[in-house]
C-alpha cells in the first residue's frame, strides 16, 4: 500500500519496517507466522533492489593532474616565485618548494595510518664511510744465522727420542711380565684380553694393545685362538723369535676394533 513512499530516497519507511519485523520475529512460534515473515523478507528485498537502482551516483572520476595541483598547493608551493624564476631556471634548480614540504605531507598522511612503515636500505646506507685502511703488518726478517733453524728441529728430535724411549721401556716391561707369567705357569694359556684390558681406563687399554703389537711384530710373542675362538698370547722361544724376526714378511698384521661400549 505504501510502495511509492518506501521507494522514495527521502523516506526511511523501509528501514523502519525492517526493524519492526526484526522485533516481531523474536516472538514467532508457529509455522504460519514464519511463512509470513519470509514473505515480508522477499517483498522488502525487492523494494530495496528497486530503491538501489533508482539511486544516481554523482561521483566524479579521479583526475591525477588536479590531485597533483592540490597536493602542491597543500605543500606550500609559491606560484609567484615560480613565475619570477622562469627566466632563471638554472639558478633555482627546482627550489620553489619549501624545505619542509615533504615533512608537512608526511605529518598529514601519518594521521591515516596506524604506523609509518620503517625505512630499509637495500644496499647499505647512501652516506657510507670510507673503509678503514688496514694496518700494514711487517713480517719479521729471517735470521741469517743457522742457529735458530736448528733450534726447533732439535727440540722435536729430543721429544721424539724421549717418546720412543718410553715406548720401548713399556714394551720391555710388558714382555717381561708375559715371560714371567708363562714361566710360572706354562700350561695355562694367557688370554690376550685379560693381558691388555685395564678395567678402569679405556685409554690405557688402547695403549696396552699398541705396546703388545710391537712384541708381536718383533716375533717375541705370538697369538693363537683357543677352543672358544678367543685369542691367547704366549711368548716365543728364543730360536723362534730370531727366525720370525728374519722372516718378518711371512707374518700378517691385524686391525682390532674396540669401541668404548665393547670395552665396558
Amino acid at each position: 500500500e505504501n510502495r511509492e513512499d518506501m521507494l522514495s530516497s527521502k523516506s526511511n519507511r523501509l528501514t523502519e519496517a525492517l526493524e519492526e519485523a526484526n522485533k516481531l520475529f523474536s516472538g514467532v512460534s508457529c509455522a504460519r507466522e514464519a511463512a509470513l515473515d519470509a514473505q515480508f523478507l522477499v517483498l522488502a528485498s525487492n523494494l530495496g533492489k528497486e530503491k538501489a537502482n533508482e539511486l544516481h551516483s554523482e561521483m566524479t572520476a579521479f583526475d591525477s593532474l588536479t590531485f597533483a595541483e592540490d597536493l602542491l598547493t597543500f605543500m606550500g608551493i609559491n606560484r609567484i616565485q615560480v613565475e619570477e624564476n622562469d627566466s632563471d631556471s638554472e639558478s633555482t634548480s627546482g627550489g620553489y618548494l619549501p624545505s619542509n614540504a615533504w615533512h608537512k605531507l608526511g605529518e598529514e598522511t601519518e594521521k591515516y595510518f596506524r604506523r609509518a612503515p620503517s625505512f630499509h636500505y637495500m644496499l647499505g646506507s647512501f652516506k657510507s664511510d670510507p673503509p678503514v685502511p688496514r694496518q700494514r703488518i711487517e713480517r719479521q726478517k729471517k735470521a741469517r744465522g743457522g742457529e735458530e733453524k736448528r733450534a726447533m728441529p732439535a727440540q722435536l728430535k729430543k721429544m721424539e727420542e724421549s717418546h720412543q724411549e718410553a715406548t720401548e721401556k713399556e714394551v720391555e716391561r710388558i714382555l717381561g711380565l708375559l715371560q714371567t707369567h708363562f714361566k710360572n705357569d706354562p700350561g695355562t694359556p694367557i688370554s690376550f684380553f685379560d693381558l691388555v684390558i685395564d678395567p678402569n681406563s679405556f685409554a690405557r687399554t688402547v695403549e696396552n694393545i699398541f705396546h703388545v703389537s710391537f712384541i708381536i711384530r718383533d716375533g717375541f710373542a705370538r697369538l693363537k685362538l683357543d677352543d672358544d675362538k678367543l685369542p691367547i698370547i704366549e711368548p716365543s722361544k728364543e730360536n723362534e723369535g730370531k727366525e720370525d724376526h728374519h722372516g718378518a714378511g711371512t707374518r700378517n698384521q691385524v686391525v682390532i676394533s674396540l669401541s668404548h661400549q665393547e670395552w665396558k
Side-chain angles (χ1 to χ4, degrees), residues 116-173:
S118 58
F119 186 78
H120 298 280
Y121 292 103
M122 295 180 64
L123 298 175
S125 174
F126 290 104
K127 296 180 181 180
S128 59
D129 297 330
V132 180
R134 295 182 178 179
Q135 294 182 356
R136 192 172 181 180
I137 302 174
E138 296 183 358
R139 296 182 178 178
Q140 296 181 354
K141 296 181 179 180
K142 297 181 179 180
R144 294 181 180 179
E147 295 181 357
E148 295 185 0
K149 293 182 179 179
R150 290 194 297 267
M152 194 63 183
Q155 293 177 1
L156 291 176
K157 188 175 181 181
K158 289 181 181 179
M159 186 172 64
E160 290 177 358
E161 289 177 356
S162 61
H163 181 70
Q164 186 175 359
E165 290 176 0
T167 303
E168 291 178 355
K169 291 180 180 179
E170 188 66 19
V171 171
E172 292 176 359
R173 187 183 70 85

Side-chain angles (χ1 to χ4, degrees), residues 106 109-121:
T109 54
E110 189 178 0
K111 302 176 184 178
Y112 305 99
F113 294 93
R114 291 184 178 179
R115 179 178 61 87
S118 58
F119 186 78
H120 298 280
Y121 292 103

Side-chain angles (χ1 to χ4, degrees), residues 56-74:
H56 297 285
S57 175
E58 297 179 356
M59 293 178 62
T60 56
F62 176 76
D63 189 357
S64 59
L65 296 177
T66 305
F67 175 74
E69 290 292 335
D70 294 341
L71 189 61
L72 290 174
T73 303
F74 173 78

Side-chain angles (χ1 to χ4, degrees), residues 175-191 235:
L175 179 58
L177 293 175
L178 182 64
Q179 292 175 347
T180 302
H181 182 81
F182 190 75
K183 287 179 181 179
N184 295 334
D185 192 3
T188 304
I190 304 173
S191 172

Side-chain angles (χ1 to χ4, degrees), residues 15-56:
T15 304
E16 294 173 358
L18 287 171
E19 292 177 353
E20 184 179 358
N22 193 27
K23 294 178 182 179
L24 293 174
F25 183 72
S26 60
V28 170
S29 60
C30 299
R32 179 57 183 165
E33 295 171 354
L36 288 174
D37 181 77
Q39 185 178 357
F40 165 75
L41 184 61
V42 173
L43 181 61
S45 300
N46 293 331
L47 291 174
K49 180 180 179 181
E50 292 182 17
K51 190 173 183 179
N53 291 332
E54 291 179 0
L55 291 176
H56 297 285

